[in-house]
Amino acid sequence: MTAPVLLFLATFASTLVAGSYLAGGNPLARPGDIPLGLMFNVPLLAILGVHELGHYAAARRHRVDVTPPFFLPAPSFIGTFGAFIRIRSPLPHRNALFDVGVAGPFAGALVAIPVLMIGLSVSEIRAVAPGGIPLGESLIFKAAAWLVLGPVPKGYDVVLHPVAFAGWIGLFVTMLNLIPSGQLDGGHVAYALFGDRYAEAARLVPYALLLMGIAWVGWFVWAGLLFVLGTRHQRPVFDELPLTPGRRVLGAVAALLFLLSFSPNPFPM
């Protein structure tokens, strides 16, 4: 078996166990609870997989050499660190760079939003009680919850079904990937749009994340990653070729998707 297949199987197992716990099971004490995790890990891996396949398909269309997706298992409450592909040849021009960068978030969001809405339709509205995992609400989440569940009475809260939680995680991952810095998807899109002008703004992003760490400590981690990995972006081979007008419009759509899926405090304590 190849490394991508082995990593996918390991991630399927880790997210299956995590999903079983999220669904109220205890797979270590009761192995029969393990199938409960399918309600979480199947939609989550579908979102992550479609996201990476979006990158892969766009890269192949521009004859860029890329690897298949690598999934990353993790000993965390969701069972994964996500997935990635490796680009093994230079990007030919900004249009290719833009397509590769934007295809993943767009493809992933097209799966994550329906998954979220389906999950919300089977979620419960209960009186606020201690316990559980509090989650931040992006504008997309607020709109989806209002459309599916209607107004939530004061003193009550939505207890997310595992399917809805998978959709929430999918949108969270989409937002993180669209941060406009470094080698993140948002960095690819921003460089394709603005070229060298992007570099000055990209340097400020980790410092902005440090300030946002006041709201959520996880932003400190992302700031640290950008400080270590760098915020610069490699130029495409034919950097002088301009981005097409249609792609500039899609760049505005990508920025809007980032804002609509953004939550300053994703895991409020």
Side-chain angles (χ1 to χ4, degrees):
M1 286 190 188
T2 63
V5 173
L6 290 173
L7 283 170
F8 174 78
L9 293 175
T11 306
F12 188 92
S14 61
T15 53
L16 183 64
V17 171
S20 178
Y21 280 110
L22 289 169
N26 187 347
L28 294 182
R30 299 185 299 273
D33 288 349
I34 289 178
L36 293 173
L38 293 170
M39 295 184 292
F40 173 74
N41 86 321
V42 169
L44 177 62
L45 294 182
I47 295 166
L48 297 178
V50 168
H51 179 119
E52 296 307 323
L53 288 175
H55 290 312
Y56 182 86
R60 297 290 294 184
R61 187 166 69 87
H62 288 285
R63 296 186 173 88
V64 175
D65 184 20
V66 291
T67 66
F70 290 88
F71 287 79
L72 300 175
S76 67
F77 74 102
I78 63 170
T80 181
F81 285 132
F84 70 95
I85 61 169
R86 284 183 57 210
I87 299 175
R88 297 187 292 199
S89 64
L91 277 300
H93 43 69
R94 289 194 196 181
N95 291 312
L97 175 62
F98 180 89
D99 291 351
V100 173
V102 85
F106 280 5
L110 286 175
V111 179
I113 292 172
V115 164
L116 174 64
M117 297 186 75
I118 292 169
L120 284 169
S121 70
V122 290
S123 297
E124 298 181 36
I125 298 177
R126 298 180 190 170
V128 174
I133 305 172
L135 299 174
E137 297 182 353
S138 66
L139 291 176
I140 290 180
F141 180 87
K142 288 178 181 288
W146 186 84
L147 286 171
V148 176
L149 299 172
V152 177
K154 188 176 180 180
Y156 287 77
D157 205 353
V158 180
V159 179
L160 293 185
H161 188 276
V163 172
F165 185 50
W168 186 94
I169 292 290
L171 286 173
F172 178 58
V173 169
T174 297
M175 180 270 293
L176 292 176
N177 275 284
L178 283 172
I179 293 173
S181 190
Q183 297 301 308
L184 296 171
D185 298 343
H188 296 329
V189 172
Y191 185 91
L193 285 166
F194 304 111
D196 288 335
R197 290 176 295 166
Y198 149 81
E200 295 301 321
R203 283 197 201 99
L204 300 177
V205 171
Y207 297 99
L209 295 180
L210 285 177
L211 291 175
M212 288 165 49
I214 298 170
W216 176 51
V217 295
W219 294 123
F220 291 131
V221 176
W222 280 89
L225 286 173
L226 288 176
F227 280 127
V228 171
L229 299 176
T231 60
R232 297 185 64 183
H233 197 287
Q234 186 177 5
R235 293 181 178 184
V237 177
F238 302 105
D239 190 44
E240 69 278 4
L241 293 178
L243 201 64
T244 62
R247 287 182 172 89
R248 292 192 177 278
V249 173
L250 288 177
V253 175
L256 182 63
L257 176 60
F258 173 71
L259 293 174
L260 293 178
S261 57
F262 179 79
S263 174
N265 188 5
F267 299 98
M269 300 300 294

